[in-house]
Amino acid sequence: MRQLVVIGNGMVGHRLVEAVRDRDTDGTWHITVLAEESRPAYDRVALSSYFDGACEEDLRLPDLVRRGGVDLRLGEPATAIDRAGRTVTTRTGAVVGYDALVLATGSSAFVPPVPGHDLPGCHVYRTLDDLDAITASARDARTGVVIGGGLLGLEAANALRLLGVRAHVVELAPWLMPAQIDEGGGALLGGLIAETGVTVHTGVGVEAVEAGADGRVARVRLGERELAADIVVFAVGIRPRDELARAAGLEVGPRGGVVVDEACRTLDEAIYAVGECAQAGGTVYGLIAPGNAMAEVVADRLLGGTAAFTGADTSTKLKLLGVDVASFGDAHGRTPGALEVVLNDAPGRRYAKLVVSDDARTLLGGVLVGDATAYAGLRPLVGRELPGDPLDLIAPGREGGGIGVGALPDDAQVCSCNAVTKGALVTAIHDGACDVAVLKGCTGAGTSCGSCVPMLKTLLAEAGVEQSRALCEHFEQSRAELVEIVTATGVATFSELIARYGRGRGCDVCKPAVASILASLNGGHILDGEQAALQDTNDHFLANIQRNGTYSVVPRIPGGEITPDKLIVIGEVARDFGLYTKITGGQRIDLLGARVEQLPAIWRRLVDAGFESGHAYGKSLRTVKSCVGSTWCRYGVQDSVGLAIELELRYRGLRAPHKIKAGVSGCARECAEARGKDIGVIATEKGWNLYVGGNGGFRPRHADLLVSDVDHDTLIRYIDRFLMFYVRTADRLQRTAAWIEAMDGGLDHLRAVVVDDALGIAADLEAAMARHVTGYADEWRGVLDDPDKLARFVSFANAPDVPDPTIAFETEREQPVPAGPVTLGMPVRRPHAEV
Amino acid sequence: MTVLALDSGLTWIPACPADRLTPERGVAILLPDGGQVALFRTFDGALYAIDNIDPFSHAAVMARGIVGDRDGEPTVASPMLKQVFSLRTGVCLDDPSVRQAVHTVRERDGVVEVTVRPSGGTA
Ligand code: SRM
Ligand SMILES: Cc1cc2nc3c(=O)[nH]c(=O)nc-3n(C[C@H](O)[C@H](O)[C@H](O)COP(=O)(O)OP(=O)(O)OC[C@H]3O[C@@H](n4cnc5c(N)ncnc54)[C@H](O)[C@@H]3O)c2cc1C
Ligand code: SF4
Ligand code: FES
């Protein structure tokens, strides 16, 4: 077996190992990876999402060791290369021999040598350790200054903002992102960034960073002016880490970078260099797509191939909330004879420029600011003949730049990060990839920067695979469309809705869905009039059906807080009615085994003792889990129990597309597991952090941070908006996690709607929630007070008091449980049972 | 409960007052032999009765299912695991190898009556 040593376990080093393992089916190479960082490789491109709810695990790249034949040595950097002996020495003194060596050492952040650059509180933005250090510094910081207004600097400024720090960006050039965009786009971008709350200073350089009395950063001096700063982040550029190569006598470029040829080989034929430490064709690329391409070339060469690296796509898209910027191809129009087509729509806050060849037939590049939806469609066209009038392609309101993916040739790269062509995607769809997730899984497209995902959706749609949005055979409309119809027309009954907008008589899919819509929009008791016939059995009997036809009783215990007296009542009721009793996963108590005809008597006792429905049966708010919080806990910084109870009482009974769960923790230790909930609230010293879209269940997902450090009233306002927006626009049985994932624009769009009121509907959403809160009434009390509704709670219409003879219990651990064999089952037709 | 012996050799029992049966909401009826039927009235006034025991879960719950139609065929969905059955024939539309017993129903003088023996489907 031959020995391959890879120095560096960053994104490109990782890709190289994967690519070799993919191709090396005969096991020719054993691979040793020497890694300076002590964590396994992670997605550096998505680094900023660390401040937006992602954790280290979310960012981690697939495990290399599991692939076999890989010795991954974390925290063991290489210190020297002996080319003559073909060995590498590591920090621990180990000497590793190689037949082939790949340098993938990446680059380091460049820190300009201004006075004070190394004071405590000064940071760079490159590794997870850097981000942890920034988080620690930001804890007591009020103002932060980012030096550098490029792609990275803007991401860093946004990170500071998410950490609750007022951010300034200082850029020496006259506009932001000068490397990628032109002056016209830069002017608009400056304004858009300023609107996010970041203060922009362009055309100025930093002279010095100055310390305060405590020895930490306090100010940044910009010529005449100075800015207060409790934290400083340098993001002015990168320097290839070519020190090992230099010491080993390999050639490096004038501005750094190990010089390599088309095979990515250095002048030593056993040594290759890839990624940001390499200089290929005179260029050091600071982007992932070229790095990945180099990794593929080297993997191919190591296995006897002849692949060559001849340059790569340098398109970029800014990943910042609410600010759309993209630049691709020859964005600055440097090709001789290039022509520019510009659309500068200041009031519409859009700037778009296409660079085309002198005959205006070939697309060379472009810049999009304010609205980059056309990016995914335009980028693959670079270097190709334009399908139409260039101006037409950037005209407003044309999804995907007016280009159907159909217009793209098969060899056009749809995903440039992972070099996936349209042809490969079409083949995968043809072979059965039926949604974006599967397509991502089998082609790798869309798994890096994500900007090609809209194209994946379009390809699926064009292949006719996209699933119909029709609710069921009775309604062509999606749930969200039905919400709009009901809102706009005031239709108040299912019969009228199906007569006017549907066909047939409905089914167990559309009836409960419409019942939920009518309940959330119009209020009223869910068993009133015709509505009763729409409810599935759980809502019908205000209890959850169990496998033997009995029901469970779950009284609401807001926040999980309960008095001893109420606990005793629950115990007495359970004992008197012979119910099995269990503490649920939602911090409350479930009484199981009640027969239909027992439910009213059980609930009479509970309602008299001050309990109300816990809606365990409804597609509505379940529980708001809490931790003990600051009242008792020595770490607590806010009253989490108080807030949990307030939230539970506020949103109880709200009918929604699916169940809603929430949690409130009193500090970052997160004992309430709030990030596993649809709504998670975590106390901070300054207020509350609001997370949304968490889920346990079939596909666990951590909630994403929506806003941080908001005060109580703002928090409630945002949750009101969030929930009502969900109620109005989600699909049937779509939890918030799936809703956000499927939303065009994802979390950023959601934040724009909820926080920035980008759609101008916030007041409307808040008013709808206010109506819900004032209109709330306990459903069980409503039944007990109404003889007509009570009449439904009988075993048999012709023998109301005879218990169902098929129900029998036996005793297990001193409690009654259903007797008889357990019939296991999931529904035959549908993949998941849902109740 | 009274058992009526009537025309065509079928044995009928009174199930419930006609106004107790609201459209698209079932009720369960206990039979003299301890069996149960699920009785339904659809939106157009038609009456149907099928065995109340869900053949998949063996729980006596069919009367609590949602009534509707599939391609025009009147249906009820089991509230347990959601399989859909034809109210006319008792056949499970999601698994045609399963068929629910069907009873005959009629309305007389404001009373709904069902036959005690199934008239179709499995006995
Ligand atoms: C009673 C309880 C288990 C327990 O003994 O602890 C329970 C019981 C059921 N769960 Fe659950 N879940 C219970 C907590 C949970 C939790 C934990 C939590 O809430 O903190 C989860 C994971 C968290 C989450 O939802 O994200 C959970 C995830 C599910 C799921 C999967 C949801 C998903 O999004 O993937 C289902 C199935 C569904 O809803 O489609 C489900 C469905 C059910 C159903 C309704 C299944 C059914 O069809 O009968 C069970 C009915 C219970 C009943 O009759 O009362 N249950 N279930 C818990 C009731 C909590 C409460 O007080 O209301
Ligand atoms: C915040 C941020 C956002 C970004 N956004 C984008 C984007 O949107 N699009 C895009 O295309 N690119 C983006 N990039 C750039 C992209 O992350 C890099 O191009 C890519 O990570 C380069 O991969 P690499 O493997 O060459 O270098 P790295 O990922 O830096 O990996 C090099 C690794 O080698 C290790 N190493 C160095 N010396 C040694 C040694 N002697 N021994 C052992 N190990 C060593 C380092 O510790 C490091 O772990 C972004 C970068 C950052 C920091
Ligand atoms: S989350 Fe914090 S405040 Fe709440 S119990 Fe845990 S440690 Fe205490
Ligand atoms: S283009 Fe970046 S993931 Fe596809």
Side-chain angles (χ1 to χ4, degrees):
Chain A
M1 212 189 246
R2 306 183 67 201
Q3 298 297 324
L4 171 64
V5 173
V6 180
I7 304 183
N9 184 37
M11 294 187 74
V12 176
H14 181 272
R15 169 61 72 96
L16 173 88
V17 175
E18 280 195 318
V20 172
R21 280 286 76 107
D22 282 348
R23 284 165 220 236
D24 184 15
T25 42
D26 302 334
T28 320
W29 292 99
H30 175 269
I31 309 176
T32 304
V33 182
L34 301 177
E36 176 183 65
E37 291 184 75
S38 55
R39 331 177 183 239
Y42 51 88
D43 184 350
R44 202 178 302 287
V45 172
L47 202 61
S48 293
S49 62
Y50 199 55
F51 292 118
D52 221 354
C55 59
E56 186 186 343
E57 263 146 57
D58 298 333
L59 294 179
R60 195 168 288 163
L61 298 175
D63 187 7
L64 290 179
V65 178
R66 278 230 315 266
R67 309 218 37 184
V70 178
D71 175 12
L72 174 61
R73 304 198 189 169
L74 295 177
E76 188 176 344
T79 49
I81 302 169
D82 172 4
R83 286 170 51 199
R86 292 207 171 171
T87 62
V88 178
T89 309
T90 77
R91 192 171 59 193
T92 62
V95 177
V96 189
Y98 66 82
D99 296 298
L101 174 66
V102 180
L103 302 173
T105 49
S107 54
S108 53
F110 173 64
V111 178
V114 293
H117 65 82
D118 49 2
L119 284 171
C122 284
H123 298 273
V124 295
Y125 197 79
R126 172 117 199 133
T127 64
L128 277 175
D129 287 341
D130 294 336
L131 266 53
D132 285 339
I134 290 174
T135 310
S137 279
R139 205 153 287 152
D140 307 306
R142 299 185 45 182
T143 312
V145 175
V146 176
I147 317 286
L151 205 65
L152 253 166
L154 293 179
E155 282 196 28
N158 190 44
L160 290 182
R161 219 178 58 98
L162 289 173
L163 288 168
V165 176
R166 268 188 54 82
H168 294 259
V169 172
V170 178
E171 168 59 50
L172 187 59
W175 64 86
L176 296 174
M177 289 180 66
Q180 289 87 11
I181 66 176
D182 60 352
E183 186 169 3
L188 177 58
L189 176 62
L192 294 175
I193 295 290
E195 280 173 26
T196 71
V198 172
T199 314
V200 179
H201 311 263
T202 49
V204 279
V206 180
E207 278 177 8
V209 180
E210 293 169 2
D214 59 358
R216 292 180 61 85
V217 166
R219 283 173 302 280
V220 172
R221 181 160 299 288
L222 316 171
E224 304 291 272
R225 277 189 299 156
E226 61 174 43
L227 296 172
D230 308 308
I231 174 169
V232 171
V233 180
F234 288 101
V236 292
I238 53 172
R239 290 289 176 270
R241 297 192 54 183
D242 51 19
E243 59 272 13
L244 280 177
R246 274 178 207 270
L250 296 171
E251 185 189 355
V252 295
R255 304 192 53 212
V258 188
V259 175
V260 294
D261 61 14
E262 281 195 351
C264 296
R265 205 189 306 243
T266 65
L267 50 79
D268 181 333
E269 63 168 26
I271 305 182
Y272 299 81
V274 291
E276 289 191 346
C277 68
Q279 181 202 296
T283 308
V284 175
Y285 293 91
L287 294 168
I288 189 61
N292 282 343
M294 292 185 217
E296 298 287 345
V297 166
V298 172
D300 183 72
R301 293 278 176 159
L302 287 173
L303 289 151
T306 55
F309 177 82
T310 52
D313 191 349
T314 52
S315 315
T316 40
K317 186 161 184 264
L318 182 63
K319 312 176 291 287
L320 258 198
L321 73 140
V323 182
D324 254 13
V325 186
S327 138
F328 52 95
D330 178 13
H332 291 283
R334 297 202 173 109
T335 312
L339 302 173
E340 294 187 351
V341 182
V342 178
L343 184 146
N344 195 354
D345 171 10
R349 308 203 300 178
R350 281 176 85 251
Y351 175 89
K353 177 178 88 174
L354 292 186
V355 179
V356 296
S357 58
D358 48 6
D359 59 358
R361 294 186 61 178
T362 309
L363 181 64
L364 299 176
V367 173
L368 303 166
V369 181
D371 173 7
T373 37
Y375 174 64
L378 289 171
R379 185 193 51 199
L381 279 180
V382 171
R384 296 175 189 274
E385 189 153 331
L386 283 164
D389 178 351
L391 197 55
D392 221 27
L393 298 176
I394 48 177
R398 305 221 32 192
E399 192 82 16
I403 302 163
V405 237
L408 295 180
D410 270 359
D411 63 340
Q413 271 189 14
V414 170
C415 174
S416 68
C417 289
N418 301 290
V420 184
T421 60
K422 175 185 164 194
L425 288 164
V426 170
T427 309
I429 293 172
H430 184 77
D431 293 345
C434 55
D435 60 24
V436 171
V438 176
L439 212 46
K440 278 183 175 180
C442 64
T443 63
T447 52
S448 304
C449 74
S451 66
C452 57
V453 171
M455 294 287 274
L456 304 187
K457 287 189 184 157
T458 318
L459 278 173
L460 282 163
E462 293 202 350
V465 224
E466 197 157 55
Q467 296 199 337
S468 152
R469 315 224 339 126
L471 193 57
C472 63
E473 69 172 71
H474 304 102
F475 287 98
E476 301 273 312
Q477 302 83 347
S478 66
R479 181 187 176 280
E481 286 161 349
L482 288 177
V483 171
E484 278 175 23
I485 290 175
V486 172
T487 317
T489 61
V491 167
T493 66
F494 177 81
S495 293
E496 192 185 344
L497 189 68
I498 198 164
R500 284 173 60 183
Y501 300 98
R503 59 194 195 84
R505 278 310 299 172
C507 63
D508 62 312
V509 171
C510 59
K511 281 185 158 184
V514 171
S516 158
I517 294 172
L518 295 173
S520 31
L521 295 183
N522 304 341
H525 198 284
I526 58 161
L527 298 184
D528 277 343
E530 191 203 68
Q531 273 211 63
L534 308 178
Q535 310 295 351
D536 75 30
T537 187
N538 284 2
D539 278 302
H540 207 153
F541 292 104
L542 307 172
N544 293 46
I545 198 167
Q546 304 298 317
R547 44 171 273 250
N548 61 351
T550 62
Y551 287 83
S552 71
V553 170
V554 187
R556 186 168 296 294
I557 300 181
E561 183 187 80
I562 185 164
T563 62
D565 283 341
K566 281 190 157 179
L567 259 184
I568 289 168
V569 171
I570 291 189
E572 287 172 348
V573 169
R575 188 191 54 208
D576 296 351
F577 288 88
L579 303 174
Y580 169 95
T581 309
K582 181 182 178 298
I583 311 286
T584 73
Q587 295 191 332
R588 52 189 183 171
I589 301 171
D590 200 350
L591 313 177
L592 295 112
R595 296 188 309 271
V596 173
E597 72 274 16
Q598 291 181 306
L599 288 171
I602 292 171
W603 275 102
R604 178 89 267 162
R605 291 265 298 270
L606 292 170
V607 168
D608 287 347
F611 285 105
E612 60 176 8
S613 167
H615 296 101
Y617 47 82
K619 298 285 178 268
S620 54
L621 180 77
R622 295 285 167 87
T623 64
V624 182
K625 194 171 171 179
S626 76
C627 73
V628 284
S630 60
T631 316
W632 292 94
C633 178
R634 62 200 158 124
Y635 295 115
V637 292
Q638 307 277 356
D639 175 14
S640 48
V641 181
L643 182 70
I645 294 174
E646 181 185 346
L647 295 180
E648 187 155 343
L649 296 181
R650 186 171 180 81
Y651 303 119
R652 63 187 163 178
L654 176 70
R655 286 297 195 282
H658 207 313
K659 58 191 167 192
I660 304 165
K661 300 180 178 186
V664 183
S665 282
C667 81
R669 287 167 192 76
E670 246 282 72
C671 297
E673 300 172 309
R675 286 193 61 202
K677 307 290 181 221
D678 299 271
I679 298 166
V681 181
I682 302 178
T684 69
E685 265 151 43
K686 301 176 196 157
W688 303 97
N689 282 355
L690 172 60
Y691 295 82
V692 293
N695 207 162
F698 294 113
R699 200 162 70 85
R701 178 180 192 270
H702 267 144
D704 298 313
L705 182 65
L706 191 71
V707 280
S708 40
D709 291 323
V710 289
D711 61 24
H712 167 275
D713 293 357
T714 311
L715 177 78
I716 303 282
R717 204 161 57 238
Y718 289 167
I719 302 178
D720 280 3
R721 295 176 183 177
F722 169 77
L723 281 177
M724 267 301 162
F725 189 46
Y726 168 62
V727 165
R728 292 200 175 170
T729 62
D731 272 339
R732 166 186 172 268
L733 294 185
Q734 190 176 41
R735 291 281 296 266
T736 57
W739 172 62
I740 295 171
E741 280 177 6
M743 191 179 289
D744 269 342
L747 185 67
D748 288 346
H749 177 67
L750 180 66
R751 193 182 284 114
V753 173
V754 171
V755 178
D756 308 326
D757 191 15
L759 299 181
I761 56 171
D764 188 29
L765 297 175
E766 286 171 34
M769 187 59 84
R771 279 196 299 281
H772 163 75
V773 174
T774 41
Y776 168 82
D778 176 24
E779 285 168 359
W780 259 108
R781 184 182 288 275
V783 168
L784 296 175
D785 292 347
D786 180 344
D788 274 356
K789 295 195 175 90
L790 271 178
R792 307 297 311 183
F793 289 82
V794 293
S795 47
F796 300 104
N798 61 341
D801 300 321
V802 179
D804 176 352
T806 67
I807 296 176
F809 295 98
E810 56 196 36
T811 303
E812 199 174 284
R813 292 181 296 278
E814 297 166 53
Q815 293 213 72
V817 295
V822 176
T823 38
L824 295 174
M826 287 295 251
V828 275
R829 181 161 51 98
R830 300 189 186 129
H832 316 133
E834 1 102 349
V835 169
Chain B
M1 106 196 36
T2 11
V3 176
L4 314 167
L6 279 163
D7 25 300
S8 66
L10 293 172
T11 313
W12 297 85
I13 57 160
C16 64
D19 60 5
R20 174 76 171 73
L21 204 53
T22 45
E24 304 191 331
R25 293 176 82 183
V27 299
I29 301 295
L30 188 61
L31 299 174
D33 65 356
Q36 313 181 13
V37 293
L39 188 61
F40 304 94
R41 190 196 290 284
T42 47
F43 76 104
D44 54 0
L47 294 167
Y48 299 97
I50 65 172
D51 195 325
N52 193 36
I53 311 262
D54 170 14
F56 293 96
S57 67
H58 308 299
V61 294
M62 292 308 296
R64 304 179 211 157
I66 289 182
V67 175
D69 80 297
R70 190 178 280 183
D71 247 336
E73 179 77 1
T75 57
V76 63
S78 163
M80 199 64 83
L81 299 177
K82 313 287 166 98
Q83 294 91 349
V84 172
F85 296 82
S86 159
L87 286 175
R88 267 186 336 107
T89 63
V91 170
C92 174
L93 302 180
D94 295 317
D95 180 358
S97 68
V98 177
R99 182 183 191 136
Q100 198 62 334
V102 174
H103 294 245
T104 315
V105 204
R106 68 182 179 194
E107 189 177 324
R108 283 197 153 190
D109 303 328
V111 174
V112 179
E113 298 172 353
V114 292
T115 55
V116 299
R117 300 253 163 272
S119 50
T122 51

Coordinates of all heavy atoms in Angstrom, one line a residue, chain A residues 640-671:
Chain A
S640 N -37.9 32.2 34.2 CA -38.4 31.3 33.0 C -39.8 30.7 33.3 O -40.6 30.6 32.4 CB -37.4 30.3 32.7 OG -37.0 29.6 33.9
V641 N -40.1 30.4 34.5 CA -41.4 29.8 34.8 C -42.5 30.8 34.5 O -43.5 30.5 33.9 CB -41.5 29.3 36.3 CG1 -42.8 28.6 36.5 CG2 -40.3 28.3 36.6
G642 N -42.3 32.0 35.0 CA -43.3 33.0 34.8 C -43.5 33.3 33.4 O -44.7 33.4 32.9
L643 N -42.5 33.3 32.6 CA -42.7 33.6 31.2 C -43.3 32.4 30.5 O -44.2 32.6 29.6 CB -41.3 33.9 30.5 CG -41.5 34.2 29.0 CD1 -42.2 35.5 28.8 CD2 -40.2 34.2 28.2
A644 N -42.9 31.2 30.9 CA -43.5 30.0 30.2 C -45.0 30.0 30.5 O -45.8 29.7 29.6 CB -42.9 28.7 30.8
I645 N -45.4 30.3 31.7 CA -46.8 30.3 32.1 C -47.6 31.3 31.2 O -48.6 31.1 30.6 CB -47.0 30.5 33.6 CG1 -46.5 29.3 34.3 CG2 -48.5 30.7 33.9 CD1 -46.5 29.4 35.8
E646 N -47.0 32.5 31.2 CA -47.6 33.6 30.4 C -47.8 33.2 28.9 O -48.8 33.3 28.3 CB -46.7 34.8 30.5 CG -47.3 36.0 29.7 CD -46.4 37.2 29.7 OE1 -45.4 37.3 30.5 OE2 -46.7 38.1 28.9
L647 N -46.7 32.5 28.4 CA -46.9 32.1 26.9 C -47.9 31.0 26.8 O -48.7 31.0 25.9 CB -45.5 31.6 26.4 CG -44.4 32.6 26.4 CD1 -43.1 31.9 25.8 CD2 -44.7 33.8 25.5
E648 N -47.9 30.1 27.7 CA -48.9 29.0 27.6 C -50.3 29.5 27.7 O -51.2 29.1 26.9 CB -48.6 27.9 28.6 CG -49.4 26.7 28.4 CD -48.9 25.4 29.0 OE1 -47.7 25.3 29.3 OE2 -49.7 24.4 29.1
L649 N -50.5 30.5 28.6 CA -51.9 31.0 28.7 C -52.2 31.9 27.5 O -53.4 32.0 27.1 CB -52.0 31.8 30.0 CG -51.8 30.9 31.3 CD1 -52.0 31.7 32.5 CD2 -52.8 29.7 31.3
R650 N -51.2 32.5 27.0 CA -51.5 33.4 25.8 C -51.9 32.6 24.6 O -52.8 33.0 23.9 CB -50.3 34.3 25.5 CG -50.5 35.3 24.5 CD -49.3 36.3 24.4 NE -49.6 37.3 23.4 CZ -50.3 38.3 23.5 NH1 -50.9 38.6 24.7 NH2 -50.5 39.2 22.5
Y651 N -51.2 31.5 24.3 CA -51.4 30.9 23.0 C -52.2 29.6 23.2 O -52.4 28.9 22.2 CB -50.0 30.6 22.4 CG -49.2 31.8 22.2 CD1 -48.0 32.0 22.8 CD2 -49.7 32.9 21.4 CE1 -47.3 33.1 22.7 CE2 -49.0 34.0 21.3 CZ -47.8 34.2 21.9 OH -47.0 35.3 21.7
R652 N -52.7 29.3 24.4 CA -53.5 28.0 24.5 C -54.7 28.1 23.6 O -55.3 29.2 23.4 CB -54.0 27.9 26.0 CG -54.9 29.0 26.4 CD -55.2 29.0 27.9 NE -55.7 30.3 28.2 CZ -56.1 30.7 29.4 NH1 -56.1 29.8 30.4 NH2 -56.6 31.9 29.6
G653 N -55.0 27.0 23.0 CA -56.2 26.9 22.2 C -56.1 27.4 20.8 O -57.0 27.3 20.0
L654 N -54.9 27.9 20.4 CA -54.7 28.5 19.1 C -54.7 27.3 18.1 O -53.7 26.5 18.2 CB -53.5 29.3 19.0 CG -53.1 29.8 17.6 CD1 -54.1 30.9 17.2 CD2 -51.7 30.4 17.6
R655 N -55.6 27.2 17.2 CA -55.6 26.1 16.2 C -54.6 26.4 15.1 O -54.5 27.6 14.6 CB -57.0 25.9 15.6 CG -58.0 25.2 16.6 CD -57.4 23.8 16.9 NE -58.3 22.8 17.5 CZ -58.7 22.8 18.8 NH1 -58.3 23.7 19.6 NH2 -59.4 21.8 19.2
A656 N -53.8 25.4 14.8 CA -52.6 25.7 13.9 C -52.5 24.5 12.9 O -53.2 23.5 13.0 CB -51.4 25.8 14.7
P657 N -51.7 24.6 11.9 CA -51.5 23.5 10.9 C -51.0 22.3 11.6 O -51.3 21.2 11.1 CB -50.4 24.1 9.9 CG -50.5 25.6 10.1 CD -50.9 25.8 11.5
H658 N -50.3 22.4 12.6 CA -49.8 21.2 13.4 C -49.7 21.6 14.8 O -49.9 22.8 15.2 CB -48.5 20.7 12.8 CG -48.2 19.2 13.0 ND1 -48.4 18.6 14.2 CD2 -47.8 18.3 12.1 CE1 -48.2 17.3 14.1 NE2 -47.8 17.1 12.8
K659 N -49.3 20.7 15.7 CA -49.1 21.0 17.1 C -47.9 22.0 17.2 O -47.0 22.0 16.4 CB -48.9 19.8 17.9 CG -47.7 19.0 17.5 CD -47.8 17.6 18.2 CE -46.8 16.7 17.6 NZ -47.0 15.3 18.1
I660 N -48.0 22.8 18.3 CA -46.9 23.8 18.5 C -46.4 23.5 20.0 O -47.2 23.4 20.9 CB -47.5 25.2 18.5 CG1 -48.2 25.5 17.2 CG2 -46.4 26.2 18.8 CD1 -49.1 26.7 17.2
K661 N -45.1 23.5 20.1 CA -44.5 23.3 21.4 C -43.5 24.4 21.7 O -42.9 24.9 20.8 CB -43.8 22.0 21.5 CG -44.8 20.8 21.2 CD -44.1 19.5 21.3 CE -45.2 18.4 21.1 NZ -44.6 17.0 21.2
A662 N -43.4 24.8 23.0 CA -42.5 25.9 23.3 C -41.7 25.5 24.5 O -42.1 24.5 25.2 CB -43.2 27.2 23.4
G663 N -40.7 26.2 24.8 CA -39.9 26.0 26.0 C -39.2 27.3 26.4 O -38.9 28.1 25.5
V664 N -39.0 27.5 27.7 CA -38.3 28.7 28.2 C -37.3 28.2 29.2 O -37.6 27.6 30.2 CB -39.3 29.7 28.9 CG1 -38.5 30.9 29.3 CG2 -40.5 30.0 28.0
S665 N -36.0 28.6 28.9 CA -34.9 28.3 29.9 C -34.4 29.6 30.5 O -34.4 30.6 29.9 CB -33.8 27.6 29.2 OG -34.0 26.3 28.9
G666 N -34.0 29.4 31.8 CA -33.6 30.6 32.6 C -32.2 31.0 32.3 O -31.8 32.1 32.8
C667 N -31.4 30.2 31.6 CA -30.1 30.7 31.2 C -29.6 29.7 30.1 O -30.3 28.8 29.7 CB -29.1 30.6 32.4 SG -28.4 29.0 32.8
A668 N -28.4 30.0 29.7 CA -27.9 29.3 28.5 C -27.6 27.8 28.8 O -27.4 27.0 27.8 CB -26.5 29.9 28.0
R669 N -27.7 27.3 30.0 CA -27.6 25.9 30.2 C -28.8 25.1 29.6 O -28.7 23.9 29.5 CB -27.5 25.6 31.7 CG -26.1 26.0 32.2 CD -26.0 26.1 33.7 NE -24.8 26.8 34.1 CZ -24.6 28.1 34.1 NH1 -25.6 28.8 33.7 NH2 -23.4 28.6 34.4
E670 N -29.9 25.8 29.4 CA -31.0 25.3 28.6 C -31.6 24.0 29.2 O -31.8 23.1 28.4 CB -30.4 25.0 27.2 CG -31.0 25.8 26.1 CD -32.4 25.4 25.7 OE1 -33.3 25.6 26.6 OE2 -32.5 24.8 24.6
C671 N -31.9 24.0 30.5 CA -32.5 22.8 31.0 C -33.9 22.5 30.5 O -34.4 21.4 30.6 CB -32.6 22.9 32.6 SG -30.9 23.1 33.2

